[in-house]
Amino acid sequence: YLFYSDLLPSKDDKDLTQYFLLQVVDILLNYIKKTFDAKSKILDFHHPHQLLEGLDGFNLNLSDHPESLEQILVDCTDTLKYGVKTGHPRYFNQLSSGLDMIGLAGEWLTATANTNMFTYEIAPVFTSMEAILLKKMYEIIGWGEAEADGIFSPGGSISNLYGILVARYKLYPEIKTKGMAALPCIVLFVSEQGHYSVKKAAAVLGIGVHHVIEVKCDERGKMIPDELEKNVLQAKTKGQAPFCVIATAGSTVFGAFDPLHAIADVCEKHKLWMHVDAAWGGGLLLSRKYSYKLSGIERANSVTWNPHKLMGVPLQCSAILIREKGLLEACNQMQAGYLFQPDKLYNVDFDTGDKSIQCGRHVDIFKLWLMWKAKGTCGFEEQINRYMELAKYFYKVLKEKDNFQLVFDAEPEFTNVCFWYLPPRLKYITKGLEREQELHKIAPKIKARMTEEGTAMISYQPCGDKVNFFRMIFSNPATRQTDVDYLIDEMERIGKDL
Amino acid sequence: YLFYSDLLPSKDDKDLTQYFLLQVVDILLNYIKKTFDAKSKILDFHHPHQLLEGLDGFNLNLSDHPESLEQILVDCTDTLKYGVKTGHPRYFNQLSSGLDMIGLAGEWLTATANTNMFTYEIAPVFTSMEAILLKKMYEIIGWGEAEADGIFSPGGSISNLYGILVARYKLYPEIKTKGMAALPCIVLFVSEQGHYSVKKAAAVLGIGVHHVIEVKCDERGKMIPDELEKNVLQAKTKGQAPFCVIATAGSTVFGAFDPLHAIADVCEKHKLWMHVDAAWGGGLLLSRKYSYKLSGIERANSVTWNPHKLMGVPLQCSAILIREKGLLEACNQMQAGYLFQPDKLYNVDFDTGDKSIQCGRHVDIFKLWLMWKAKGTCGFEEQINRYMELAKYFYKVLKEKDNFQLVFDAEPEFTNVCFWYLPPRLKYITKGLEREQELHKIAPKIKARMTEEGTAMISYQPCGDKVNFFRMIFSNPATRQTDVDYLIDEMERIGKDL
């Protein structure tokens, strides 16, 4: 048997090391081929206790002693075998889905380079690529300033936290040293359909969830600007200090776009920081046909934009963009002498670490850079336009069917399409509480069956007064019309006897 | 020319896709071989403006139109060519270094699986592995409780933030809803050698940097427990409310271990939460010979431990461990209905997302799990013991040389060894301010030369009243005694005429 200690750098055996890594790659290539084969199962479902107890020799427990390289390869195969193929054409479960081959190549290279974003010193190429991509993104947003600022963060929730953090610092710079005790009772605003990370951030930042004021939405899930202004005035009357509005561009469930211009007007009038959570919707800026849906984003003070969602970049890849240059660093810098020495041989403006709330920071930029090189802006545009077309197609098909009911009887705003499946027996129950209770149980049952059979994955949730409904999402480049048709057939097959 | 659109899933061309990915792997394998070749340069240094302007056809700018796959492969080669080989035997620049082949295989697989840690539903194997590894880590820390809690986070700074966040919530659960306004003036304590992320966290959390009280250290950089108690009492006298102490196990610059038992005594006496920042030192718990240096860590309420440092796991891999089960979720949960449905087909206790301050969360667990399988606990121990031996060797060699001066004239506590190089001409300058000013300039000059020539990378910094000194770190599995000897020769060669 061979062991890790037979590989580089323990032993100088280049050939064996290469052989081992190529064996791993062979496992990965087989997985990739299966991923894109619509006939393969998306997953081979097992319960947590089954996995933890060990399946067919796949033992998750760790020992004091090494396992052979042969066993390591078997473990790699098993890990993929019992996992979920998130790139499968019928994986519709999350806003992030799909497996881009260029992005994947980018991640493999990033892993091999294994460096850290805090200084130019140890990541000269990657920090330069970050500077270039951030600039590209400011331009696409439409900020007229010669210079803006930003950083890639470990996800949309952290990016939203950055937005609120910088907003607070801009209005109350004393927060950094003195803490919340030096501030009035600050409050922020987000729509009732906004992402829950805003509340998480308020809890973390010491603002408190009660000081996140939820603004009412219209029937399509968009923030109502008049309600926002009413809430701002009410807060002021109570002696609270409004400082920030989080507008949503592409809400998680409905895919709604808040009216950014009208919100910007309220923000300007009341001198509030405007943050746009475009984690999901940001990619639409690359589509000349649909970017109008984010019109007004150029008036934002900060924007969250996750290329790992609509743009299909592998996880994680999220940017926080700040219109005013310098704020991010002023807010976060602590000038750790051991990392950010001023007496280096290069221009230390490129050491971006002190802008971050992190110290070490994973390289998330290369896969995005490489995908942009390979596709060009036009390639992203084409892909995104196709998702929008698929969403319209799906909507039209469902509209024609009497065993499906759409949550909104209008064309989808984005690639989210929300709907119920109605089993035949529900037709005999008159509309009312009992029918709603029964309908609430349908989506979980269909999902459970599809999961057990591994045929498709799609999410469901209740929302407000709406009982459990499915949320279809198009963000998977492998998905074709036939997969959409299949999903509908599958739901009818499973659901008809429920 | 071929383009991304000729690959899966745009076109169903499995062979071409495989060919492209194998070409990428070929580039990576060549890079790996060079990385471990001590004769290769660590980096080919260029200034930021040179990279941004474009080098020998390596153009970082992005276009509207796609580049060919051939160009993408060239870009991959160039990205590695102008980067830093962090696995090179003479890369001593950061606490995280080295390139582990099993960890690398783990990262390649993680990238290919491209999923998200928030639910068991889409990451059944990875969330199970996380549960197993967290349990392993509690046991190694020595927590007697049947159950503890924890989560992997995007780095040590975020892990430290979690520790302070949970400490605050435990003492003042009303913080989550009401914010800091509901709390007294809370203060926390960290040694003057503690990591700057504690201050960053205090700024983010709305506590304020002025409410982080720095406790004096002894001459070796360890927190003085009597000083801690004095500071706690002083704060109380001022009407402040002490709530948390951050002890450091392995400080960044000196590698110092705070006396954890004595600090735990103070914490118990004054009912303070004890967080141990063992981001750097945590790995030493795996060494039966050296784990005594962290004696008392079992009394901590929370611990930060970064496997991506001493254990050599690829970046990012950091854990926050909390002794009291349930606190992490109570502190952070927002019960987003669209993600954490209660009516799933499996035990939803395995959906860990609501413990997190993030929403999506990168899979950082697999590479650690795979390395543990491949090495066993004993393999980590062996590697870490070797680093400790190398540090002692390096110390002994420097001690014998009159052109080097050690910052501490005693055996290193950890793998950090701090020292000055003294050029011959400094011998003719009498000790005093002028000599110090000259000495301060030496390390940056030597580093600049080594960087330009690509022969070795090591960090330097000033600290307190000590002018710029080098900090040697052993955490790179490729490093051998010959590399240490080389570094000393190289410094003498470059430094003798400075």
Side-chain angles (χ1 to χ4, degrees):
Chain A
Y1 286 112
L2 293 165
F3 290 91
Y4 80 96
S5 47
D6 296 306
L7 301 177
L8 282 167
S10 301
K11 275 211 189 111
D12 186 20
D13 193 336
K14 293 188 183 67
D15 292 341
L16 180 65
T17 303
Q18 168 153 338
Y19 177 76
F20 168 73
L21 289 173
L22 284 173
Q23 293 279 99
V24 173
V25 169
D26 192 53
I27 293 167
L28 303 181
L29 291 171
N30 281 323
Y31 177 80
I32 290 166
K33 287 175 202 165
K34 270 194 202 156
T35 286
F36 293 121
D37 178 2
K39 290 186 295 295
S40 74
K41 289 171 76 171
I42 297 184
L43 79 166
D44 181 7
F45 178 78
H46 291 85
H47 286 278
H49 69 90
Q50 294 174 306
L51 262 175
L52 290 170
E53 284 158 10
L55 285 162
D56 289 339
F58 185 31
N59 176 9
L60 297 189
N61 291 313
L62 300 165
S63 130
D64 288 348
H65 299 288
E67 299 274 8
S68 69
L69 294 180
E70 288 81 351
Q71 182 59 46
I72 291 301
L73 293 172
V74 171
D75 286 335
C76 286
T77 304
D78 284 344
T79 297
L80 293 170
K81 182 177 170 191
Y82 296 110
V84 174
K85 297 193 191 78
T86 59
H88 191 285
R90 296 181 199 141
Y91 179 85
F92 315 112
N93 212 66
Q94 311 291 149
L95 303 181
S96 306
S97 64
L99 184 60
D100 186 279
M101 292 299 105
I102 308 290
L104 181 63
E107 275 296 69
W108 288 359
L109 185 147
T110 300
T112 312
N114 191 33
T115 193
N116 197 317
M117 292 294 283
F118 40 51
T119 58
Y120 177 88
E121 181 173 326
I122 64 164
V125 181
F126 299 131
T127 52
S128 300
M129 286 174 175
E130 187 175 52
I132 282 170
L133 266 157
L134 288 170
K135 189 153 180 290
K136 189 103 192 154
M137 292 168 97
Y138 315 143
E139 284 167 10
I140 289 168
I141 287 172
W143 282 337
E145 279 75 4
E147 288 193 300
D149 216 339
I151 199 160
F152 279 74
S153 96
S157 293
I158 302 282
S159 291
N160 282 339
L161 183 142
Y162 267 111
I164 302 169
L165 178 70
V166 172
R168 178 172 72 174
Y169 177 77
K170 170 71 180 171
L171 266 80
Y172 305 100
E174 63 275 26
I175 180 73
K176 186 172 173 181
T177 51
K178 296 182 182 167
M180 289 287 288
L183 271 57
C185 177
I186 61 172
V187 291
L188 64 157
F189 304 84
V190 63
S191 94
E192 51 189 9
Q193 290 294 326
H195 195 259
Y196 73 107
S197 58
V198 173
K199 286 188 185 168
K200 282 210 176 192
V204 170
L205 296 168
I207 293 169
V209 172
H210 286 176
H211 300 122
V212 178
I213 297 171
E214 287 195 357
V215 182
K216 272 196 195 140
C217 290
D218 66 16
E219 69 291 350
R220 290 299 295 270
K222 297 163 179 281
M223 186 192 279
I224 303 171
D226 284 348
E227 288 289 327
L228 170 63
E229 181 152 36
K230 209 164 77 184
N231 285 326
V232 170
L233 293 172
Q234 271 172 357
K236 285 184 178 175
T237 311
K238 282 193 212 164
Q240 295 173 326
F243 78 107
C244 176
V245 176
I246 315 293
T248 306
S251 67
T252 313
V253 177
F254 297 142
F257 290 88
D258 286 349
L260 300 183
H261 273 300
I263 292 171
D265 289 342
V266 176
C267 288
E268 275 171 24
K269 186 169 164 193
H270 295 279
K271 296 191 170 54
L272 306 175
W273 181 280
M274 177 173 168
H275 174 80
V276 177
D277 177 1
W280 171 220
L284 216 55
L285 290 167
L286 301 176
S287 163
R288 282 164 289 190
K289 188 165 174 193
Y290 296 109
S291 62
Y292 74 91
K293 289 175 184 273
L294 292 98
S295 180
I297 196 168
E298 68 280 6
R299 295 172 67 186
N301 300 98
S302 56
V303 172
T304 291
W305 175 355
N306 288 8
H308 72 217
K309 291 197 164 85
L310 194 64
M311 291 166 71
V313 178
L315 277 162
Q316 60 194 36
C317 192
S318 171
I320 171 70
L321 305 153
I322 312 266
R323 195 168 165 185
E324 184 180 330
K325 175 97 178 163
L327 265 184
L328 196 56
E329 185 151 14
C331 177
N332 292 319
Q333 73 180 349
M334 292 291 158
Q335 292 166 316
Y338 73 89
L339 202 52
F340 308 116
Q341 303 92 329
D343 45 8
K344 288 181 177 177
L345 79 159
Y346 59 85
N347 177 354
V348 294
D349 288 350
F350 287 82
D351 286 353
T352 58
D354 229 8
K355 287 183 187 178
S356 173
I357 61 168
Q358 305 185 257
C359 171
R361 187 161 58 96
H362 189 257
V363 176
D364 298 331
I365 200 70
F366 181 65
K367 54 196 167 192
L368 172 59
W369 181 88
L370 199 67
M371 282 175 69
W372 212 307
K373 272 269 166 182
K375 290 172 194 279
T377 316
C378 295
F380 285 116
E381 177 181 45
E382 208 175 300
Q383 195 166 310
I384 289 164
N385 285 350
R386 208 172 62 77
Y387 299 147
M388 295 293 278
E389 295 311 311
L390 277 171
K392 277 183 210 167
Y393 171 77
F394 186 63
Y395 159 77
K396 278 180 195 154
V397 175
L398 291 191
K399 200 173 154 67
E400 296 303 309
K401 291 186 164 275
D402 67 353
N403 51 350
F404 286 90
Q405 188 186 327
L406 288 153
V407 170
F408 303 118
D409 190 19
E411 282 219 342
E413 279 241 25
F414 198 13
T415 85
N416 312 42
V417 182
C418 297
F419 63 97
W420 290 277
Y421 172 77
L422 308 171
R425 72 169 172 95
L426 279 201
K427 288 183 195 148
Y428 304 104
I429 308 178
T430 48
K431 284 194 178 174
L433 187 63
E434 193 198 333
R435 186 174 176 279
E436 292 293 292
Q437 280 170 346
E438 287 302 307
L439 184 56
H440 187 63
K441 293 176 201 158
I442 300 302
K445 278 183 189 161
I446 293 178
K447 165 131 192 180
R449 279 283 293 283
M450 290 196 304
T451 302
E452 281 164 348
E453 297 179 15
T455 51
M457 284 185 82
I458 175 170
S459 79
Y460 69 84
Q461 63 284 300
C463 188
D465 59 353
K466 295 173 178 68
V467 299
N468 276 329
F469 56 90
F470 287 110
R471 179 201 64 179
M472 183 64 170
I473 285 290
F474 295 94
S475 66
N476 185 339
T479 302
R480 300 283 174 278
Q481 260 189 31
T482 51
D483 302 302
V484 174
D485 297 337
Y486 178 94
L487 178 73
I488 294 170
D489 291 349
E490 183 70 0
M491 286 193 168
E492 290 178 329
R493 182 183 70 81
I494 296 171
K496 67 179 192 300
D497 301 323
L498 292 179
Chain B
Y1 286 113
L2 293 164
F3 290 91
Y4 81 95
S5 48
D6 296 306
L7 301 177
L8 282 168
S10 301
K11 274 210 191 115
D12 186 21
D13 193 337
K14 293 188 184 65
D15 292 341
L16 179 66
T17 304
Q18 168 153 339
Y19 178 75
F20 168 73
L21 289 174
L22 284 173
Q23 293 279 98
V24 173
V25 169
D26 193 52
I27 292 167
L28 302 181
L29 290 171
N30 281 324
Y31 177 79
I32 291 167
K33 287 175 203 163
K34 267 194 202 155
T35 285
F36 293 122
D37 178 1
K39 290 186 293 295
S40 74
K41 286 172 81 171
I42 298 183
L43 79 165
D44 182 7
F45 178 78
H46 291 84
H47 286 278
H49 69 91
Q50 294 175 304
L51 261 174
L52 290 170
E53 286 158 11
L55 284 162
D56 289 339
F58 184 32
N59 176 8
L60 297 190
N61 292 314
L62 300 165
S63 131
D64 287 348
H65 299 289
E67 300 274 8
S68 69
L69 295 180
E70 289 79 352
Q71 181 60 44
I72 291 301
L73 292 172
V74 171
D75 286 335
C76 286
T77 305
D78 284 344
T79 297
L80 292 170
K81 182 176 170 192
Y82 296 109
V84 174
K85 297 192 190 79
T86 59
H88 190 284
R90 295 180 201 143
Y91 178 84
F92 315 112
N93 211 63
Q94 311 292 148
L95 302 181
S96 306
S97 64
L99 184 60
D100 186 278
M101 292 298 105
I102 307 291
L104 180 63
E107 275 295 70
W108 287 359
L109 186 147
T110 299
T112 312
N114 191 31
T115 193
N116 196 315
M117 292 294 282
F118 40 49
T119 59
Y120 178 87
E121 182 172 325
I122 65 164
V125 181
F126 300 131
T127 52
S128 301
M129 286 173 176
E130 186 175 51
I132 282 170
L133 266 156
L134 288 170
K135 191 156 179 288
K136 189 102 192 156
M137 292 169 97
Y138 315 143
E139 285 167 7
I140 290 168
I141 287 172
W143 282 337
E145 280 76 5
E147 289 193 303
D149 218 338
I151 200 161
F152 279 74
S153 95
S157 294
I158 302 283
S159 291
N160 281 340
L161 182 143
Y162 266 112
I164 301 168
L165 178 70
V166 172
R168 178 173 72 172
Y169 177 77
K170 169 70 178 172
L171 266 79
Y172 305 100
E174 63 275 27
I175 180 73
K176 186 172 172 181
T177 50
K178 297 182 181 166
M180 287 289 287
L183 272 56
C185 177
I186 61 173
V187 292
L188 65 155
F189 304 85
V190 63
S191 93
E192 53 189 8
Q193 289 294 325
H195 194 258
Y196 74 106
S197 59
V198 172
K199 284 188 187 169
K200 283 210 174 189
V204 170
L205 295 167
I207 294 169
V209 173
H210 286 175
H211 300 122
V212 177
I213 297 171
E214 288 195 354
V215 181
K216 272 194 194 140
C217 290
D218 67 15
E219 69 290 350
R220 290 300 293 271
K222 296 163 180 280
M223 185 192 280
I224 303 170
D226 285 347
E227 288 289 327
L228 170 63
E229 184 155 33
K230 209 165 77 183
N231 285 328
V232 170
L233 292 172
Q234 270 172 357
K236 285 183 178 178
T237 310
K238 281 193 213 163
Q240 294 173 327
F243 78 107
C244 177
V245 176
I246 315 294
T248 306
S251 66
T252 312
V253 177
F254 297 143
F257 290 88
D258 286 350
L260 300 183
H261 273 300
I263 292 172
D265 290 341
V266 176
C267 287
E268 276 171 24
K269 187 170 164 192
H270 294 278
K271 296 193 171 51
L272 306 174
W273 180 281
M274 178 174 168
H275 175 80
V276 177
D277 176 2
W280 170 221
L284 216 54
L285 289 166
L286 301 176
S287 163
R288 282 165 289 190
K289 189 166 174 191
Y290 296 109
S291 63
Y292 74 90
K293 288 175 184 273
L294 293 98
S295 180
I297 195 169
E298 68 281 5
R299 295 171 69 186
N301 300 99
S302 57
V303 172
T304 291
W305 175 353
N306 287 9
H308 72 217
K309 292 197 164 87
L310 194 63
M311 292 167 70
V313 177
L315 276 162
Q316 61 191 33
C317 192
S318 171
I320 171 70
L321 306 152
I322 312 265
R323 195 167 165 186
E324 186 180 329
K325 174 97 179 166
L327 265 184
L328 196 55
E329 186 152 13
C331 177
N332 292 320
Q333 73 180 348
M334 292 294 159
Q335 293 166 316
Y338 72 89
L339 200 52
F340 309 115
Q341 304 92 331
D343 46 7
K344 288 181 177 177
L345 78 159
Y346 60 83
N347 177 355
V348 294
D349 289 350
F350 287 82
D351 286 354
T352 58
D354 228 8
K355 288 183 187 177
S356 172
I357 61 170
Q358 304 185 258
C359 171
R361 186 160 60 95
H362 189 257
V363 176
D364 298 330
I365 200 69
F366 181 65
K367 55 196 165 190
L368 172 59
W369 181 87
L370 200 67
M371 280 174 71
W372 211 308
K373 272 269 167 181
K375 289 171 193 279
T377 317
C378 295
F380 285 117
E381 178 180 44
E382 208 176 300
Q383 195 166 312
I384 289 165
N385 285 349
R386 207 172 63 76
Y387 299 146
M388 293 294 278
E389 294 311 310
L390 277 171
K392 276 183 212 168
Y393 170 78
F394 187 62
Y395 158 77
K396 278 181 195 151
V397 174
L398 291 190
K399 200 173 153 65
E400 295 302 308
K401 290 186 165 278
D402 66 354
N403 51 351
F404 286 90
Q405 188 185 329
L406 288 153
V407 169
F408 303 118
D409 190 20
E411 281 219 343
E413 279 242 23
F414 199 12
T415 84
N416 312 42
V417 182
C418 297
F419 64 96
W420 290 277
Y421 172 76
L422 307 171
R425 72 169 172 95
L426 279 201
K427 288 185 195 146
Y428 303 102
I429 307 178
T430 47
K431 283 194 177 174
L433 187 63
E434 192 198 333
R435 186 173 176 281
E436 291 293 291
Q437 280 172 345
E438 287 302 306
L439 184 57
H440 187 63
K441 293 177 202 158
I442 299 301
K445 279 185 190 160
I446 292 177
K447 166 132 191 178
R449 279 282 294 281
M450 290 196 304
T451 303
E452 281 164 348
E453 298 180 15
T455 51
M457 283 185 83
I458 175 172
S459 80
Y460 68 84
Q461 64 284 299
C463 188
D465 59 355
K466 295 173 177 68
V467 298
N468 275 329
F469 56 90
F470 287 111
R471 179 201 64 177
M472 182 65 169
I473 286 289
F474 294 95
S475 67
N476 184 338
T479 302
R480 300 281 175 279
Q481 261 190 31
T482 50
D483 301 303
V484 174
D485 296 337
Y486 178 95
L487 178 74
I488 293 170
D489 291 349
E490 184 69 0
M491 286 192 167
E492 289 178 331
R493 182 182 70 80
I494 295 171
K496 67 178 192 299
D497 300 322
L498 292 179

